[in-house]
Every structure is written in structure tokens, then in C-alpha cells.
Amino acid sequence: MPQSLRRPKERISVLVITGDNMTSELLRNAFAHSRKGFAVETMTGSSQSIIGGLATRKPDVALISEELQDGPRAGVRVLQNLQSSHGTPAIMLLQDSKPEGVVTAFRGGARGIFYRTHSLKALSKCIRVVHKGQIWASNEDLEHLISALTQTKQLQINNPEGMPLLTRREEEVVHLVADGLKNREIAQQLKVKEHSIRNYIYRIFEKLGVSSRVELILYVFSHREGHK
């Protein structure tokens, strides 16, 4: 196809949320010097002020700093609010790989972890991966998650009477989530409304005792391993 007739690639809109202007500018410049394909907007401040401004923004992916102006874990509050109100795929920007920070981020709904110590050249790849519905996590991150899961109550697939906890439709939703599909895509495949998928996922979380899509995906993989 001639170059002039090629359709331009759709840009990924990214909302960068940090606690200081220096970090925002550093990340904005990282995008500016990377390959084109991103539309970047930044928000800086406390968790309360940022949450108040989220209603008018609908990014494809959010990059949220763990530390905001009102505390070292204030970013998690923004993450949780973003997930409950918008369901936007989010990446948490952490200072280092400590188990508590990693587990808290994923339980809050993060789809990826990126560290300040990592090369900013990898940031565009991280965002593209999360935008596609996949998880961005290192082996060390996954070890922290698996350790946290094994220290909590064992995930149950049957009730005390031995009956399956999940309905057939809920099982379908679980496996589509594990395949990396977003709620909208799952709804299209199952030919139901998107809000129905959100309701299914809420019930699945309650039944299996998980609190995020990442924990649900780990549950599916561990269950598969157990049946090999």
C-alpha cells in the first residue's frame, strides 16, 4: 500500500500522575524522545486533588506514582478510585521492589509495575503491553504475589458440599480475563452488556476470595497447573 494511503496508527492516550513537577517533566520528556504513538497528559498534586479531577479524563492507560504530595502510598488511593470509577488499565510507578508495595499495587487493580530505577526506554513497551490487556511484571514481582497468595486462605473452587462455586458463565468470564481481554471485549464475545461483565467479575472476586484481576489470573494459572 502506498505510504500516503496508509492509515495512521492510533495514539495511546497516557495520563501520568505524580506528586511533583520534576517527575512529571522527566516522564513527559521520556515519551517525547521515544517513538511516536502516545498522547501524554500529566496531573500533579495530592491524592484528593487528583481524584477530584479524574472525572473529566478518560485515558487509555494511567501511570501512577506510588508517592504523591500527601504521602508515600497516596497513589494507591488514586489507583483504587480509578479502577472503581473508570476501570482504566493502570501501571504503578514504584521506588523499589518491596513485597508490600508490589502486592498492594496489584491488589489495588494495577496491571503493571514500573520502577524509577528502570530504563525509561522500557516505559513505552510497558504501556503498550498493558494497553493490550496483558500484565507487565518481573519474575521478582510475581514471586511477591505468589508468596502473598500462599500466605492467605487457600482459594476454593468448590463449596463445602462439593459443588462448583462458579457458574458456567462465570467460568467463561474467568478464562477470558486470563486471556487478557478487557471488559468491553469480553462483553462483545459473550454478547452481553459491559456492565453485566463488571457484575460477573465482582461476584467472581467474592466467591474466590481475590481482589484484583491479577490475583484472578494467578488463580487460573495455578489451577491449570494443578490439573496437569
Side-chain angles (χ1 to χ4, degrees), residues 71-141:
R73 292 291 172 85
V76 176
R77 291 194 288 273
V78 176
L79 169 67
Q80 292 170 335
N81 180 273
L82 193 64
Q83 295 309 299
S84 62
S85 59
H86 301 286
T88 301
I91 300 161
M92 283 298 293
L93 179 64
L94 302 183
Q95 187 69 35
D96 47 41
S97 180
K98 292 182 179 179
E100 182 182 357
V102 172
V103 173
T104 299
F106 278 120
R107 281 183 169 162
R111 300 284 293 177
I113 297 289
F114 196 83
Y115 295 99
R116 293 176 183 269
T117 55
H118 286 180
S119 169
L120 291 176
K121 292 182 179 179
L123 184 56
S124 60
K125 183 177 180 181
C126 171
I127 289 173
R128 291 185 190 280
V129 165
V130 170
H131 182 244
K132 290 178 181 178
Q134 301 171 6
I135 302 298
W136 180 276
S138 67
N139 287 337
E140 186 176 6
D141 296 333

Side-chain angles (χ1 to χ4, degrees), residues 35-175:
R35 295 179 180 178
K36 295 180 180 179
F38 301 98
V40 181
E41 183 180 7
T42 62
M43 294 182 71
T44 303
S46 66
S47 59
Q48 185 175 1
S49 64
I50 289 171
I51 289 172
L54 287 177
T56 59
R57 294 169 172 83
K58 295 183 179 180
D60 294 322
V61 178
L63 176 64
I64 307 172
S65 176
E66 177 186 33
E67 183 171 357
L68 300 178
Q69 290 181 358
D70 51 332
R73 292 291 172 85
V76 176
R77 291 194 288 273
V78 176
L79 169 67
Q80 292 170 335
N81 180 273
L82 193 64
Q83 295 309 299
S84 62
S85 59
H86 301 286
T88 301
I91 300 161
M92 283 298 293
L93 179 64
L94 302 183
Q95 187 69 35
D96 47 41
S97 180
K98 292 182 179 179
E100 182 182 357
V102 172
V103 173
T104 299
F106 278 120
R107 281 183 169 162
R111 300 284 293 177
I113 297 289
F114 196 83
Y115 295 99
R116 293 176 183 269
T117 55
H118 286 180
S119 169
L120 291 176
K121 292 182 179 179
L123 184 56
S124 60
K125 183 177 180 181
C126 171
I127 289 173
R128 291 185 190 280
V129 165
V130 170
H131 182 244
K132 290 178 181 178
Q134 301 171 6
I135 302 298
W136 180 276
S138 67
N139 287 337
E140 186 176 6
D141 296 333
L142 293 176
E143 287 291 339
H144 293 330
L145 284 171
I146 293 171
S147 176
L149 285 173
T150 57
Q151 291 173 18
T152 58
K153 65 178 182 179
Q154 184 177 1
L155 295 173
Q156 300 295 320
I157 59 173
N158 296 319
N159 63 20
E161 290 72 38
M163 298 297 291
L165 284 174
L166 302 182
T167 65
R168 181 173 299 179
R169 176 49 60 92
E170 288 169 346
E171 288 182 354
E172 289 179 313
V173 171
V174 166
H175 290 290

